[in-house]
Amino acid sequence: MQNAIELAAKVGEELKSRRLILAVAESCTGGGVCQALTEIAGSSEWFDCGFVSYSNSSKSELLNIPAALIAQHGAVSEEIAAAMSEGAIANSEAHVALSTTGIAGPSGAVPGKPVGTICFGWTVGGTTHTERKIFSGDRHSVREQTVAYALEKLLRYLAEI
């Protein structure tokens, strides 16, 4: 996996060449994706904003996710990742969004969702894609892997439009 800053630079180039604007909704990464993106000089041309919605109530308040949906699927689910990505677009000037929600550890595991479980959402070209992955390592490592993977997959989806 490539370095997050290198990936962020490539994401910026792709967004700029397509005249698209990005928004991000993060939970488990706590702003890590936004930090990588804003390390790139000129990112204000293609990056609108980020939402760090760590609590369930902030997911509802900032991203318009119904509390019932969170109760039904749990905050760490592909359904919530999709809703976060779509909510980021709905509450910003962006055309494209990505989201992260998961269990970075060292605690927080629940049956069926071990530490390292991350759910992603990407809304690109009017379609939302989701994925669930399990990363290994300590909290820092899981978060680093999550940021890089989110950006890497966004690049792939941008290449398809």
Side-chain angles (χ1 to χ4, degrees):
M1 206 175 315
Q2 291 185 52
N3 172 298
I5 305 304
E6 293 168 2
L7 288 164
K10 290 179 182 179
V11 164
E13 290 169 14
E14 290 299 318
L15 290 166
K16 188 175 176 179
S17 73
R18 290 170 168 75
R19 295 191 171 118
L20 296 172
I21 304 295
L22 174 66
V24 175
E26 300 181 71
S27 184
C28 62
T29 47
V33 175
C34 292
Q35 182 179 358
L37 293 167
T38 58
E39 282 289 328
I40 309 307
S43 57
S44 61
E45 293 180 54
W46 44 264
F47 179 65
D48 183 41
C49 64
F51 300 87
V52 178
S53 55
Y54 211 69
S55 69
N56 289 347
S57 62
S58 69
K59 287 174 180 63
S60 295
E61 293 168 20
L62 298 173
L63 300 169
N64 307 330
I65 301 173
L69 189 67
I70 297 170
Q72 180 181 2
H73 297 285
V76 179
S77 64
E78 289 183 62
E79 291 83 359
I80 298 306
M84 289 173 67
S85 183
E86 292 165 0
I89 287 179
N91 290 286
S92 72
E93 300 298 318
H95 313 102
V96 174
L98 72 81
S99 66
T100 63
T101 183
I103 305 166
S107 61
V110 297
K113 296 177 185 177
V115 167
T117 301
I118 309 294
C119 294
F120 299 88
W122 299 272
T123 303
V124 180
T127 301
T128 300
H129 310 271
T130 63
E131 187 173 344
R132 176 182 158 156
K133 287 192 65 75
I134 300 175
F135 295 111
S136 60
D138 64 11
R139 181 178 182 81
H140 178 76
S141 176
V142 167
R143 288 164 51 121
E144 270 189 340
Q145 292 171 76
T146 300
V147 169
Y149 190 79
L151 293 170
E152 187 177 281
K153 283 295 284 244
L154 178 58
L155 271 174
R156 290 184 198 165
Y157 289 123
L158 287 169
E160 294 174 6
I161 61 170

